[in-house]
Amino acid sequence: MNEAELSKPERSGRLSADDWAQAALDMIAEQGVAAVAVEPLARRLGVTKGSFYWHFPSRDALLVAALERWEKLELETVWGQLEAVPDPRQRLRALFEMVAHEFKSHVIYSELLKALDHPAVQPVIGRVSERRMDYLTASFRQAGLGRTDAQHRARLAYSAYVGFLQLNLQLHQTRMQHDEFEAYVEHMMATLIPSV
Amino acid sequence: MNEAELSKPERSGRLSADDWAQAALDMIAEQGVAAVAVEPLARRLGVTKGSFYWHFPSRDALLVAALERWEKLELETVWGQLEAVPDPRQRLRALFEMVAHEFKSHVIYSELLKALDHPAVQPVIGRVSERRMDYLTASFRQAGLGRTDAQHRARLAYSAYVGFLQLNLQLHQTRMQHDEFEAYVEHMMATLIPSV
DNA sequence: ACCTGAACACCGTTCAAGT
DNA sequence: ACCTGAACACCGTTCAAGT
């Protein structure tokens, strides 16, 4: 590869719809949903904005495509990892650990939580949440709770998870230190996980 | 008042900065933060958009003014009501009841949670959250928890509160029925409130 | 099959001129 | 002290024309 190619993201001549969707997803991770704009993306990809409309009918359609991409990704990686953990307590802990250490998938999840304003974001986040809550419910049943209690506890635990993400976003200066975070997770587990 | 005046919001001739701020706040409650746009507001107020810039230097400044207005309002009404409830358990219950029945202040709070994307929204929501969490911490101390436990439990409870709001926004079709909601609140209280 | 370039609409912002 | 109206920048969208 020569020097001229180093300055731009390498691609083989022309773009595909997937290239645009991936660029949009990167943009969400970097600067949030609002930053997904046709003109800046076109600049970044080295084409004019007019060409965008050959691949997608609208900016909205691009957002939807990017979000579908993310949904598939998070289903495979993040959620797949958790499924491997048999003990329900360990699973909850693993979930919170993942949040704390900010994998890319969670960065995007946070960005989407901030942009719930947008109609395209709501259904995706809704589906992901529903899936996660079903999963937690099953975990709590395995841990010995009755059906109704398991459902309520799952809702409570998932609320705690979403709320925790939000608070971390909100109280940016008060971002928790590692030790404090560990202590909080302990407290949360002791409170939410049924004892053996 | 004659028929011509009925079609427009009544006002005495010219506008003040407060009129614009209130109109912006109404817009947030109705259609969210993104809907706060100079041109539509000007149309609604019956003036041209140019006049807006006599009152505010930018759209952002308007947003900030509207949010300050809301912060003062919510501090007086919502939070003032809770302060009147002496028992910490009743207080938590009162808080969740308020969320469930969607007072205007909570409608706006929800809208702001959805628009955490916006730099002007974050500090306001941050201050309000901090105040609420301090308040919860004090309640849990009164209810008999040690200092650290009270802090953690307050964070957990507030996360549950914020997360609950979020889930209600997300799972719109699955919006809880009254009985189910009451049962959930019972479960949450039994889990989060220390026993006597 | 994919891209350019010019055009238009919409909104934020500026400013000289009006009352 | 507050408003108008024209101007410009920026972004979404369309489309005829290019390769």
Side-chain angles (χ1 to χ4, degrees):
Chain A
M1 121 178 28
N2 64 35
E3 286 182 43
E5 277 165 347
L6 279 173
S7 54
K8 302 187 178 191
E10 45 260 289
R11 51 188 182 80
S12 49
R14 321 188 87 110
L15 298 171
S16 66
D18 272 352
D19 291 326
W20 282 93
Q22 185 56 49
L25 199 49
D26 292 344
M27 209 59 158
I28 293 175
E30 287 167 34
Q31 306 182 46
V33 172
V36 177
V38 177
E39 211 165 21
L41 282 177
R43 268 199 298 274
R44 182 182 281 205
L45 290 169
V47 291
T48 60
K49 58 181 177 171
S51 76
F52 167 78
Y53 291 89
W54 193 89
H55 302 284
F56 292 97
S58 66
R59 186 206 103 125
D60 245 60
L62 171 64
L63 244 185
V64 169
L67 295 175
E68 273 168 5
R69 216 180 158 76
W70 171 75
E71 192 179 352
K72 209 186 294 175
L73 199 84
E74 91 92 36
L75 191 57
E76 288 165 6
T77 61
V78 181
W79 220 232
Q81 281 184 39
L82 289 182
E83 210 122 28
V85 182
D87 182 46
R89 304 143 160 281
Q90 299 299 336
R91 225 176 286 147
L92 238 193
R93 179 183 292 272
L95 178 59
F96 271 73
E97 296 283 353
M98 286 170 89
V99 178
H101 297 99
E102 297 197 68
F103 288 112
K104 187 174 178 187
S105 208
H106 270 91
V107 173
I108 294 180
Y109 188 79
S110 291
E111 290 298 341
L112 298 186
L113 277 182
K114 286 194 287 187
L116 224 42
D117 220 359
H118 200 288
V121 173
Q122 288 213 25
V124 181
I125 281 283
R127 278 195 301 276
V128 171
S129 295
E130 212 132 9
R131 217 157 41 221
R132 292 182 176 185
M133 244 161 61
D134 289 350
Y135 189 63
L136 282 178
T137 305
S139 296
F140 281 119
R141 286 230 71 179
Q142 285 175 41
L145 291 188
R147 181 160 44 205
T148 315
D149 273 359
Q151 274 167 3
H152 288 156
R153 192 62 65 86
R155 179 177 278 268
L156 179 54
Y158 195 62
S159 292
Y161 157 74
V162 171
F164 179 80
L165 269 181
Q166 285 273 3
L167 285 186
N168 264 358
L169 292 174
Q170 286 170 30
L171 317 169
H172 40 80
Q173 45 258 67
T174 328
R175 197 136 201 168
M176 288 178 120
Q177 297 307 306
H178 183 268
D179 287 0
E180 199 193 348
F181 172 74
E182 292 301 327
Y184 174 67
V185 172
E186 283 316 317
H187 180 95
M188 181 220 60
M189 305 255 308
T191 309
L192 293 184
I193 311 262
S195 47
V196 242
Chain B
M1 131 179 15
N2 64 35
E3 286 182 43
E5 277 165 346
L6 279 173
S7 54
K8 301 186 177 189
E10 45 260 289
R11 51 185 183 81
S12 48
R14 320 189 87 112
L15 298 171
S16 67
D18 271 353
D19 291 326
W20 282 93
Q22 184 56 49
L25 198 48
D26 292 344
M27 209 60 158
I28 293 175
E30 288 167 33
Q31 305 182 46
V33 173
V36 177
V38 177
E39 211 164 23
L41 282 176
R43 269 199 299 274
R44 181 182 284 205
L45 290 169
V47 293
T48 60
K49 59 182 177 171
S51 75
F52 167 77
Y53 291 89
W54 193 89
H55 302 285
F56 293 96
S58 66
R59 186 208 104 126
D60 246 59
L62 172 64
L63 244 185
V64 169
L67 295 176
E68 272 168 5
R69 215 180 159 76
W70 171 75
E71 191 178 353
K72 210 186 293 174
L73 198 85
E74 93 91 34
L75 192 57
E76 289 165 6
T77 61
V78 180
W79 219 233
Q81 281 184 39
L82 288 181
E83 209 121 29
V85 183
D87 182 48
R89 303 143 161 280
Q90 301 297 337
R91 223 175 288 145
L92 239 193
R93 181 184 290 272
L95 179 59
F96 271 73
E97 297 283 353
M98 287 170 86
V99 178
H101 297 98
E102 295 198 70
F103 290 111
K104 187 174 177 186
S105 207
H106 270 90
V107 173
I108 292 179
Y109 187 80
S110 291
E111 290 297 341
L112 297 187
L113 277 183
K114 287 194 287 187
L116 225 43
D117 220 356
H118 200 289
V121 173
Q122 288 213 25
V124 181
I125 281 283
R127 279 195 302 276
V128 171
S129 295
E130 211 132 8
R131 215 157 42 220
R132 292 182 176 184
M133 242 160 63
D134 289 350
Y135 189 63
L136 282 178
T137 304
S139 297
F140 280 120
R141 285 229 73 178
Q142 283 176 42
L145 291 188
R147 182 159 46 203
T148 315
D149 273 0
Q151 275 168 1
H152 288 157
R153 191 63 66 86
R155 179 176 278 268
L156 179 54
Y158 195 63
S159 292
Y161 158 74
V162 170
F164 180 80
L165 269 180
Q166 285 274 5
L167 285 185
N168 263 358
L169 293 174
Q170 286 169 29
L171 318 169
H172 39 79
Q173 45 258 65
T174 328
R175 196 134 200 170
M176 287 179 120
Q177 296 307 304
H178 182 267
D179 287 0
E180 200 193 347
F181 172 74
E182 292 302 327
Y184 173 68
V185 173
E186 284 315 318
H187 180 94
M188 181 220 59
M189 305 255 307
T191 308
L192 292 184
I193 311 263
S195 47
V196 242

